[in-house]
Amino acid sequence: MVHPATRRLDVITDDLENRGFTLRSDGDATLAVSDPTAFAGVDAPLHLVYPPDSAPLTIVSRIATAVHRGHVPVLVADRWTKDELREVLESPFLLASRRDGARQFYAVEDRIGLTDDSFACLGTPGRIEWYETAANGDDPSLVLDVGGETVAVLESVETLRCPGPEPAAFRYRYSRDEDGRLSVFRGETPVGQDTSFRSMRADGFRPVPLPLVTEHHVRRNGHLARATLCAFVTGDEVEYSRCRTR
């Protein structure tokens, strides 16, 4: 029995060949080469990508892999991921939203390392929101709100790059010792010790999720990223849609 994902890819490759594209393999990628300018809007090979899920970090990672090779990503969607993919790809591109022209970011499950080799931590419950202030010059401040309360303000998104923010940028931080124990601090004062992240969360603390800042993933060929196509298969027909960006 043919796996549904394989069948979808077969339908798309057949469709592209019927449109005059030549398919070839490039390592782990399937490329469609012809005159893609009219099809994708830019002169670059199409790179077929099948994201395993519709999480924003998965999508931006797959897009980055394609565009860093000089290709236009074609994300293959199924009936479970179609709407979610479009939501992430359409305006504002790869952003949660915009607030008064300033960017609001998706929060992703990745840690924020600090300059003392510890990690940023939250002791506040509620919804997490990362956003920039209204642009002041080229580097607006980056703000973290949790449960409607501002708990951190960083100089800019560039503060997140290695070596990372200073420990004082966050109310809490945590570190892991050689025995695997997690210690939570407020400033220099220990406020908790746990044997696992589950028990740390039960005590009211959790790692600060990283904001998904597009330019930290798509480091070049941004014009190819914005030409990303979404391909959705219905029976033996393929629907292609461009992300609408601003």
Side-chain angles (χ1 to χ4, degrees):
M1 182 177 179
V2 178
H3 192 280
T6 301
R7 185 186 179 281
R8 278 188 285 272
L9 284 172
D10 288 343
V11 171
I12 291 172
T13 55
D14 287 347
D15 180 77
L16 290 172
E17 286 181 328
N18 290 336
R19 292 172 182 266
F21 285 87
T22 299
L23 300 185
R24 63 180 174 85
S25 178
D26 181 20
D28 59 348
T30 298
L31 301 185
V33 182
S34 178
D35 179 12
T37 304
F39 192 75
V42 293
D43 186 9
L46 305 180
H47 181 134
L48 300 185
V49 182
Y50 196 96
D53 56 62
S54 57
L57 182 58
T58 300
I59 295 171
V60 75
S61 297
R62 297 303 191 273
I63 289 174
T65 297
V67 303
H68 291 167
R69 295 182 184 181
H71 307 154
V72 174
V74 179
L75 303 182
V76 180
D78 56 35
R79 61 191 177 94
W80 295 280
T81 61
K82 178 182 179 182
D83 292 340
E84 290 86 351
L85 280 174
R86 285 179 170 172
E87 181 178 345
V88 176
L89 293 174
E90 293 185 354
S91 183
F93 184 58
L94 300 179
L95 294 174
S97 65
R98 287 189 180 272
R99 177 187 294 176
D100 298 327
R103 298 185 295 179
Q104 289 189 285
F105 303 100
Y106 291 107
V108 300
E109 292 299 322
D110 207 348
R111 300 181 300 177
I112 297 178
L114 307 176
T115 55
D116 67 347
D117 293 327
S118 65
F119 298 92
C121 188
L122 289 175
T124 305
R127 181 184 176 188
I128 294 170
E129 294 182 277
W130 279 108
Y131 61 93
E132 289 178 318
T133 58
N136 295 317
D138 294 331
D139 293 309
S141 298
L142 178 64
V143 181
L144 171 61
D145 281 2
V146 183
E149 177 188 0
T150 297
V151 299
V153 180
L154 304 181
E155 185 176 347
S156 74
V157 294
E158 296 309 303
T159 309
L160 297 170
R161 292 187 182 273
C162 189
E166 295 292 331
F170 296 90
R171 293 180 186 174
Y172 299 96
R173 58 189 177 86
Y174 73 91
S175 61
R176 187 192 290 270
D177 64 21
E178 294 179 355
D179 295 324
R181 289 188 298 267
L182 298 164
S183 297
V184 179
F185 299 86
R186 180 161 188 166
E188 297 300 321
T189 304
V191 294
Q193 190 171 76
D194 297 281
T195 58
S196 68
F197 284 106
R198 177 177 292 183
S199 61
M200 189 174 84
R201 290 177 184 274
D203 287 340
F205 299 102
R206 52 181 167 156
V208 176
L210 189 72
L212 195 161
V213 180
T214 308
E215 62 268 27
H216 291 177
H217 296 269
V218 182
R219 298 182 300 278
R220 59 182 182 275
N221 295 332
H223 67 295
L224 299 181
R226 290 181 176 275
T228 295
L229 296 170
C230 184
F232 179 67
V233 177
T234 304
D236 292 325
E237 301 293 326
V238 185
E239 172 194 340
Y240 299 94
S241 61
R242 294 183 176 87
C243 58
R244 297 190 294 272
T245 66
R246 67 171 184 260

